[in-house]
Amino acid sequence: MCSASASNLIGIALTPLLVAFVAGHLSRPLTARIVEPHKGVLSLVDRGSILLVVYTAFSVARAGAIILPLMIFRRLRLLDCAAIAQRYAGRAPGPDVAADAVLSG
């Protein structure tokens, strides 16, 4: 059952790539007249788009490496605050609390 699932996933991933590859090769005689005069610009755009994809992938990975510790730290701070709040909830109000209630009320 596991091999069938893996085979289906590989088929789902490879089929669009294979179709695009075959379509590109079959359309080459039709598109060569348009592409050849603009080969320099198209090469620049092609390499630039690959550069952007790689840069974006590294940026996302780097941002994930920075954000994850912040998320963990935030959760730990919330747990600390909850523990402190529970500790103070069990105490009787002191004179400062009574004075604050009179002043704010």
Side-chain angles (χ1 to χ4, degrees):
M1 178 150 176
C2 184
S3 64
S5 298
S7 142
N8 286 339
L9 290 175
I10 291 171
I12 289 170
L14 287 181
T15 300
L17 294 175
L18 185 60
V19 169
F21 180 76
V22 170
H25 277 284
L26 291 177
S27 67
R28 172 106 171 113
L30 302 173
T31 58
R33 291 177 297 170
I34 300 168
V35 172
E36 286 299 325
H38 307 289
K39 196 170 190 172
V41 173
L42 290 174
S43 177
L44 183 65
V45 170
D46 180 43
R47 290 180 183 171
S49 62
I50 292 170
L51 180 67
L52 285 175
V53 168
V54 171
Y55 179 76
T56 303
F58 276 109
S59 296
V60 168
R62 178 75 176 140
I66 292 171
I67 291 174
L68 184 62
L70 292 176
M71 291 172 57
I72 292 170
F73 178 73
R74 179 180 287 171
R75 288 181 188 242
L76 291 175
R77 293 292 297 162
L78 286 173
L79 289 173
D80 287 343
C81 290
I84 292 169
Q86 284 180 347
R87 185 176 297 159
Y88 280 114
R91 293 185 179 179
D96 293 334
V97 175
D100 287 342
V102 171
L103 293 175
S104 65

